Amino acid sequence: MSAWLPKVRVAACNVAPVFLDTAKTVQKTVSLIREAASNRADLVVFPETYIPAFPLWAAISAPIDNHSFFTRLAQESLLIDGKEMRTLQQACAQNHIYAHIGFNERSPHSTGCLWNSSVLISDSGQILNHHRKLMPTFYEKLVWSPGDGAGLRVVDTQRLGKIGSLICGENTNPLARWSLMAQGEQLHISSWPPVWPTRRVTTAAGKDAAAGAAGKQYDNLAANRTRSAAHCFEAKCFGVLCSGFMDKAMRNELIKHAPEAAATLDGITQGASLFLDPTGAQVGEEVVGEEGIAYGELDLNATIEGKQFHDVVGTGYQRYDIFDLRVNRRRLGPEGVFGEERREEMPAASPPPRFEEQKEEPRVTAPRAASTTGHGVGGLRII
């Protein structure tokens, strides 16, 4: 069979941030970008709000006790056009690698407005997509503001095929997932927290105080795998699951803040980073319960055959005369009230920043076949 679509080597970083320290976490991120590139990865992926941390304190202690953590998170969060983001863009350009990075984003208009955000950066340092999580989940609503549809985009990178992404619970949202399927997504990135506690554990053995099915802790591993596999099967795309890791430093700082949460955090299963094929089956390496990088070799030509059976985008298995989805991609924010004075939002595909002359020799890679899929986006109306 001829290679019509590219073969992609992906690195999924199952790693912990330097807890609530953006400068050091950015340094760690740059180091991991270099490591992935040296191991011939085309794309490196980082967890949900990796920079500077996932706000686990919102799960384990009362809102009235968490002001100091929220303040630190706001102070350490990134501006989309700030110096930290430019550093990450430069690292991608210097190492000739794409990166998908989760981060806490702060608003230029409000010191307390934060979003759960992600960016896809090209191998030339260009921001190809900037997404804000549509709706924070459960206790996350105490930290993040709702996002918008501006980042519900699939980017045709050619070198890596058509890439889309959703953050954590968005992968449970059928309409959000469909909006990516309808754009011909071939590689789906899903980012996840290290743990996601939903019930308080009161014993060191890790048993919930409430017995029975109603008292079960949320199964982070099974839930993430189920949602991602369903999306891969329905879209006939490859999946990259990338989870965070709670290291000892993070755990100890949280326990110092909320000692009663020790059994909860110690008894919960951490997430995994892995890869799924277009049938939902696992392929490539996996990292779970420790820091590390998982690698997967993904041949996007495998996305074709399954379309014979269930092509939920093509007319062979869809009814556009019955179903109609409209997506509002306007970037929402207070700047709109100022008319001509409004601050322009960075476009989905921003120009690459100007970097200093690279001192490193370019990484030698095999030629990549361009993505030539070009079917329309039937039934998806963009506002």
Side-chain angles (χ1 to χ4, degrees), residues 39-96:
N39 284 307
R40 299 177 294 103
D42 301 295
L43 166 68
V44 57
V45 181
F46 292 89
E48 178 180 11
T49 58
Y50 172 63
I51 305 172
F54 182 86
L56 275 172
W57 56 85
I60 60 174
S61 57
I64 59 174
D65 298 324
N66 292 335
H67 303 308
S68 61
F69 270 130
F70 181 84
T71 299
R72 287 174 61 189
L73 182 66
Q75 293 170 339
E76 294 290 322
S77 292
L78 281 63
L79 290 169
I80 186 62
D81 56 358
K83 62 180 181 179
E84 298 89 355
M85 189 60 67
R86 290 195 297 272
T87 297
L88 298 171
Q89 292 175 260
Q90 184 173 21
C92 290
Q94 289 181 337
N95 291 278
H96 309 284

Side-chain angles (χ1 to χ4, degrees), residues 8-15 32 35-37 39-47 97 239-243 271-276 282-298:
V8 183
R9 181 169 169 82
V10 183
C13 297
N14 199 88
V15 291
L32 290 165
E35 180 178 344
N39 284 307
R40 299 177 294 103
D42 301 295
L43 166 68
V44 57
V45 181
F46 292 89
I97 188 172
V240 182
L241 284 74
C242 186
S243 296
S273 295
L274 53 87
F275 307 92
L276 301 173
Q282 189 170 335
V283 294
E285 299 176 352
E286 176 185 27
V287 176
V288 59
E290 61 181 352
E291 281 204 297
I293 303 178
Y295 291 92
E297 305 278 353
L298 312 179

Side-chain angles (χ1 to χ4, degrees), residues 348-366:
S350 66
R354 294 182 179 180
F355 301 128
E356 296 179 2
E357 188 69 24
Q358 300 174 21
K359 298 180 181 179
E360 304 176 19
E361 288 297 320
R363 187 165 53 96
V364 177
T365 57

Side-chain angles (χ1 to χ4, degrees), residues 192 220-230 241 274 276 280-282:
W192 312 89
N220 204 33
L221 277 173
N224 298 353
R225 170 68 185 269
T226 297
R227 289 179 280 193
S228 299
L241 284 74
L274 53 87
L276 301 173
Q282 189 170 335

Side-chain angles (χ1 to χ4, degrees), residues 216-297:
K216 289 183 178 179
Q217 186 68 261
Y218 188 86
D219 191 333
N220 204 33
L221 277 173
N224 298 353
R225 170 68 185 269
T226 297
R227 289 179 280 193
S228 299
H231 184 78
C232 290
F233 181 82
E234 292 169 10
K236 303 300 183 272
C237 69
F238 281 93
V240 182
L241 284 74
C242 186
S243 296
F245 179 72
M246 180 177 60
D247 62 5
K248 187 176 181 180
M250 183 191 300
R251 182 262 183 202
N252 289 347
E253 187 155 357
L254 292 168
I255 297 308
K256 181 180 179 181
H257 173 71
E260 71 281 1
T264 300
L265 292 180
D266 293 343
I268 199 169
T269 302
Q270 297 222 37
S273 295
L274 53 87
F275 307 92
L276 301 173
D277 74 9
T279 71
Q282 189 170 335
V283 294
E285 299 176 352
E286 176 185 27
V287 176
V288 59
E290 61 181 352
E291 281 204 297
I293 303 178
Y295 291 92
E297 305 278 353

